[in-house]
Every structure is written in C-alpha cells, then in structure tokens.
Amino acid sequence: MDEIAGWVWGANVRPFLELLSGYVGYDFDGTDWDTVELAVDETDDERADGWYSYPLVGSGQAVEVRLARAVGGEEVMVSVAGVANSELRVRTETLLSAFASS
C-alpha cells in the first residue's frame, strides 16, 4: 500500500475530502467536515505531532488522511496512507494537483 503526499489550498480541503471519500465509498457528511475543520485549525506542519489524522473507511477501501496547516501560509499539507490500487493512486494524485491550483 502506498502513501501519497502533497498539499491543497485551505479552501479546498473540504472538496478534496468529499471527492476522495467518494472514491473509497465513504459518505463524508457535514458532521465529518465539522470534526476535520475544528481539528485542522490546531495543526502545524512543522511539528511531527502537529498533524491531524482522519480515517475514511469505505465499502471496499480504507485510507488514513493526515492534514496539517502550513505555518504562515494558506496551504494544508496532506498525506493519504493506505492507497491500495493504481486507480485510487491516480485519482488521489489528480485531486492533490487540482486542489493545489489557484
């Protein structure tokens, strides 16, 4: 299983998670977002213990998403662990690329 890392703009964290959730078969809803949004505000990408992890456990796949705000920036660093197949790998990499664009 692979881990894929990158970053997205802070405003794009929710759509990133919603689409990734759909790809793993998880129904990401408002309660999920409320939990993630509150937690990410307290993160710091420069500290090893400053990241927040959120599992997305779907019907056929499960991934662990780690998130941390970039110090002094609008970016949110993202790491997705547990990518089990090439299709999900391509989709995850595409999402990271798309949501890092301005």
Side-chain angles (χ1 to χ4, degrees):
M1 290 199 206
D2 288 336
E3 183 169 345
I4 301 165
W7 65 274
V8 299
W9 292 112
N12 293 334
V13 173
R14 184 175 186 165
F16 171 82
L17 291 172
E18 289 173 339
L19 287 169
L20 182 61
S21 294
Y23 295 147
V24 300
Y26 178 75
D27 183 23
F28 190 87
D29 62 20
T31 302
D32 292 298
W33 175 243
D34 291 343
T35 302
V36 170
E37 183 179 37
L38 285 173
V40 169
D41 283 342
E42 301 300 319
T43 60
D44 177 345
D45 73 324
E46 293 182 354
R47 290 189 356 247
D49 65 345
W51 290 62
Y52 176 70
S53 292
Y54 199 77
L56 301 176
V57 180
S59 54
Q61 300 181 70
V63 296
E64 184 80 18
V65 181
R66 295 180 59 237
L67 305 158
R69 288 203 173 278
V71 174
E74 297 291 321
E75 304 92 337
V76 174
M77 307 310 291
V78 178
S79 175
V80 181
V83 177
N85 62 57
S86 60
E87 180 180 345
L88 184 57
R89 178 178 195 58
V90 168
R91 287 179 171 190
T92 302
E93 289 171 344
T94 301
L95 288 176
L96 286 171
S97 178
F99 288 123
S101 299
S102 49

